[in-house]
Amino acid sequence: MIGLFLDDQSFEQDIRELLMAFYPGESFAHEETEGEDYRLKVQSQTREDSFFLTIRDMEGNEEITDSVNVHYPDRFETKNRIKRMLYQMAGKLTGMELPWGTLTGIRPTKIAMTKLLEGHSKEEVKSHMKETYLASDAKTDLSIEIASREISLLSEIDYENGYSLYVGIPFCPTTCLYCSFTSFPIGQWEKRMELYLEALFREMDYTAEKMKGRVLDTVYIGGGTPTSLSAQHLEILIKRLYDTFDFSTVKEFTVEAGRPDSITEDKLRVLKAHGVTRISINPQTMKQETLSIIGRRHTVDMVKEQFHLARSLGFDNINMDLIIGLPEEDMEDVRNTMEEIKALSPDSITVHSLAIKRAARLNMFKEKYGDYKMVNTQEMIDLTAEYARMMGQEPYYLYRQKNMAGNFENVGYSQPGKACIYNILIMEEKQTIIALGAGTTTKVVFPSENRLERVENVKDVEQYITRIDEMLERKEKMLAKLEM
C-alpha cells in the first residue's frame, strides 16, 4: 500500500502513474488510516513558486525530501519538472532506472513524430526526449526510428477527408488468463448471432450514410476473436460490409483471425474470397505448457498447421502476436519461441509485454494464480527484436499499457510493404476511426484543431443489442461536429 497524501490534487495522477511504474501492483490510499501497513508514504507541500515532495520508505526506514521551482500556470512544464524530481527520488529508494524514464503514457512515439513533423532533426528530438522525460538512449532511438517510418507509411493517407473502419466481434472460444478485453463465450451466442449482426448492420448502415463522400482507407475486423464466428456468419458480415461501404479506395483489409483453434479452412476461404489482405494467427507462445496455463486450447502444432494452411490458400500478409512475460517462461523459452516463429517466417510479428489489467483473471484470483513466476527483462525484449530483424522485419509501430511487466512496450515489426496502416493510425491518432459493435470506441480527429473526441459503445452484448438506437444517437452527436 502506498499512502499518497497530497495537499494539492492537480498532479496526483501524474505522480501516481510514475509511482506505479516503480512499484507495480501496489494500491493507493489518499487518506491516512491509523494502523495501516504502508510501504511508502508520499506527501507534498505546494508553495507559490515551488513544489516540495517527501517520500518515506516504511520498509527501509528511509526518508527523502526534495523540491523544484515551478510556474503553475505552465502545467506542461510544471508536470514534467515534478515527475523528473520524483523519478530521481524513487530511483534512489529502489535502485531502479526505468527504460522510458518519466513517460507513463501509451503513445511515446507520438512525441517523436510530432517533433519530426515540426521540422526538428533526429538529434534534436533525441535530446528533447532525454532531457524532458529522462528516456534511455535505446528507447529514444527506437521511438525516432519508428516515428520516421510511420511518417513515410502514412504519407498517402488523407487525414482531413479520409477515415478508417473498425468492426468489433466481441466473442472468443474461451477467456485467456491474462485478458481484459471485451469478449463473451461464443458458445453462449452461436444460436443468437443474428441478433448481434442485426444491430451491427444498423450501425453500419447509419455510419456509411454519415461518412458518404469521405475516403475509406483501411478496414479492420477485430475482437475478441472474429473467427469465432461460423464461416456462414463471417461471409454474411463481410458481404454486408462490401454492400454498405465503398471499398474502391481501401488500401488494407485486416481480419484478426487470432486464435488457431477458431480457424478452419472454410473460414480462411471466405476471407480470401472476399479480398481480406492481412490476417493474424496468434500463438502468443510456442511453449505448450504455457498455453495450458493461460487457457489457450490450441496446440503448438495447430499454430503451424493453420499458418501453413493460410499460406497454401494464398495469404501473403500474415501477422503473429507474441507475449513476453507469460507465467513460468524464461529466456530460453523466449528463444525457442522465436526459433519456431523464424522457421514459419510470417510477414510481421507483434511482440507484447504482458500487461495484467484489473479485469484479467490472473489479477482477480491471485490466491489461485499468485504462485506463477512472471519474468520480463530487457534481454528478452532485445532478443525478440534481434530475431525480427534477422527475419527481415523492421519496427513500424509501438504502444505501451498500464501495469506492463518490466515497464516495457509492445512493438510491431514487419517486412517492407507489409506494415499494418490501421495499427499506426489507431496509435498515432492522426485519422478518424469509426468503430462499430459492442465495446468499441470511435475516435473522431479534428486535424485543423489538433484534437480528438471519443464516443463509446456499451460493452455488454445484450445491452448493445437493446440499446442500439442510443448507440446511434451517441454517434450522431459526435459526427455532427465532424460535418461542421
Side-chain angles (χ1 to χ4, degrees), residues 182-194:
T182 301
S183 68
F184 298 83
I186 187 64
Q188 296 178 13
W189 280 94
E190 279 177 317
K191 295 181 179 179
R192 305 171 60 210
M193 190 56 64
E194 285 78 9

Side-chain angles (χ1 to χ4, degrees), residues 3-154:
L4 194 56
F5 312 127
L6 306 181
D7 67 331
D8 186 320
Q9 308 306 313
S10 301
F11 302 97
E12 178 190 321
Q13 182 175 346
D14 303 298
I15 292 171
R16 185 175 66 248
E17 288 184 352
L18 188 52
L19 285 170
M20 286 170 62
F22 278 100
Y23 299 93
E26 290 288 340
S27 57
F28 288 81
H30 301 284
E31 292 184 7
E32 191 162 6
T33 304
E34 190 174 344
E36 181 66 63
D37 187 19
Y38 295 105
R39 181 178 183 179
L40 289 183
K41 286 186 180 180
V42 182
Q43 295 176 296
S44 70
Q45 187 177 32
T46 305
R47 296 183 181 173
E48 184 177 352
D49 59 357
S50 58
F51 185 91
F52 285 77
L53 199 62
T54 297
I55 303 179
R56 294 189 184 92
D57 183 341
M58 310 304 287
E59 294 180 353
N61 195 28
E62 187 174 359
E63 178 176 307
I64 298 178
T65 298
D66 205 348
S67 65
V68 63
N69 293 329
V70 294
H71 177 56
Y72 290 104
D74 186 348
R75 194 186 190 291
F76 177 80
E77 179 60 25
T78 297
K79 174 188 71 173
N80 283 319
R81 288 189 181 189
I82 292 172
K83 289 180 73 174
R84 286 195 294 269
M85 176 179 68
L86 174 58
Y87 181 91
Q88 300 294 349
M89 295 170 75
K92 288 179 183 177
L93 289 172
T94 62
M96 290 171 57
E97 291 185 3
L98 302 179
W100 287 101
T102 65
L103 285 170
T104 56
I106 68 173
R107 297 177 176 86
T109 53
K110 213 172 176 183
I111 298 167
M113 178 183 271
T114 299
K115 289 292 182 183
L116 289 172
L117 290 173
E118 288 174 353
H120 295 276
S121 69
K122 291 181 180 180
E123 281 304 313
E124 288 171 335
V125 176
K126 183 169 183 174
S127 295
H128 171 76
M129 293 188 71
K130 287 175 64 63
E131 293 168 8
T132 306
Y133 306 107
L134 308 180
S136 68
D137 285 333
K139 299 308 178 188
T140 55
D141 289 343
L142 180 62
S143 296
I144 293 166
E145 179 185 1
I146 289 174
S148 301
R149 191 162 289 122
E150 287 178 331
I151 290 171
S152 174
L153 289 168
L154 297 182

Side-chain angles (χ1 to χ4, degrees), residues 162-383:
Y163 75 105
S164 288
L165 191 68
Y166 178 87
V167 181
I169 305 299
F171 307 104
C172 276
T174 58
T175 300
C176 293
L177 187 61
Y178 53 80
C179 185
S180 64
F181 290 122
T182 301
S183 68
F184 298 83
I186 187 64
Q188 296 178 13
W189 280 94
E190 279 177 317
K191 295 181 179 179
R192 305 171 60 210
M193 190 56 64
E194 285 78 9
L195 294 174
Y196 181 72
L197 292 179
E198 181 181 344
L200 182 63
F201 294 164
R202 284 194 60 196
E203 196 174 13
M204 285 166 50
D205 290 342
Y206 165 82
T207 299
E209 182 62 31
K210 296 298 291 186
M211 302 303 283
K212 188 176 290 184
R214 293 181 177 271
V215 173
L216 179 58
D217 283 309
T218 72
V219 178
Y220 194 109
I221 303 179
T225 306
T227 43
S228 293
L229 299 184
S230 67
Q232 180 184 8
H233 284 139
L234 268 176
E235 184 155 40
I236 291 170
L237 169 62
I238 297 175
K239 279 186 174 179
R240 185 61 178 261
L241 277 169
Y242 275 100
D243 291 342
T244 308
F245 295 92
D246 180 4
F247 269 66
S248 64
T249 58
V250 171
K251 299 173 177 63
E252 171 187 279
F253 185 6
T254 297
V255 173
E256 187 82 22
R259 302 269 294 258
D261 51 329
S262 72
I263 299 171
T264 66
E265 182 172 345
D266 286 346
K267 294 176 187 180
L268 289 176
R269 287 190 181 279
V270 166
L271 302 184
K272 189 62 183 172
H274 293 289
V276 172
T277 59
R278 181 180 180 273
I279 63 171
S280 286
I281 299 174
N282 300 333
Q284 314 300 28
T285 176
M286 297 294 263
K287 183 179 179 180
Q288 189 60 52
E289 293 85 348
T290 308
L291 292 173
S292 300
I293 290 173
I294 65 177
R296 288 268 170 159
R297 290 181 175 174
H298 73 260
T299 64
V300 171
D301 285 341
M302 194 182 295
V303 173
K304 299 174 183 178
E305 290 165 5
Q306 304 297 30
F307 183 90
H308 291 308
L309 174 61
R311 278 284 196 242
S312 72
L313 293 175
F315 286 96
D316 62 359
N317 194 349
I318 304 176
N319 174 73
M320 303 189 91
D321 279 9
L322 305 171
I323 299 179
I324 306 303
L326 287 170
E328 299 298 308
E329 292 212 343
D330 58 22
M331 185 72 165
E332 198 55 36
D333 294 320
V334 175
R335 187 182 303 279
N336 290 337
T337 288
M338 296 311 298
E339 280 291 334
E340 296 274 20
I341 298 301
K342 180 185 172 188
L344 291 172
S345 190
D347 305 282
S348 62
I349 60 172
T350 307
V351 180
H352 300 266
S353 288
L354 180 66
I356 306 170
K357 298 184 182 179
R358 290 188 184 91
R361 282 184 294 152
L362 190 56
N363 208 34
M364 290 169 63
F365 303 112
K366 289 182 179 178
E367 69 280 3
K368 182 175 180 181
Y369 302 114
D371 291 336
Y372 285 136
K373 180 183 68 177
M374 288 173 287
V375 178
N376 193 5
T377 66
Q378 186 63 56
E379 288 74 22
M380 290 179 176
I381 298 296
D382 290 345
L383 184 67

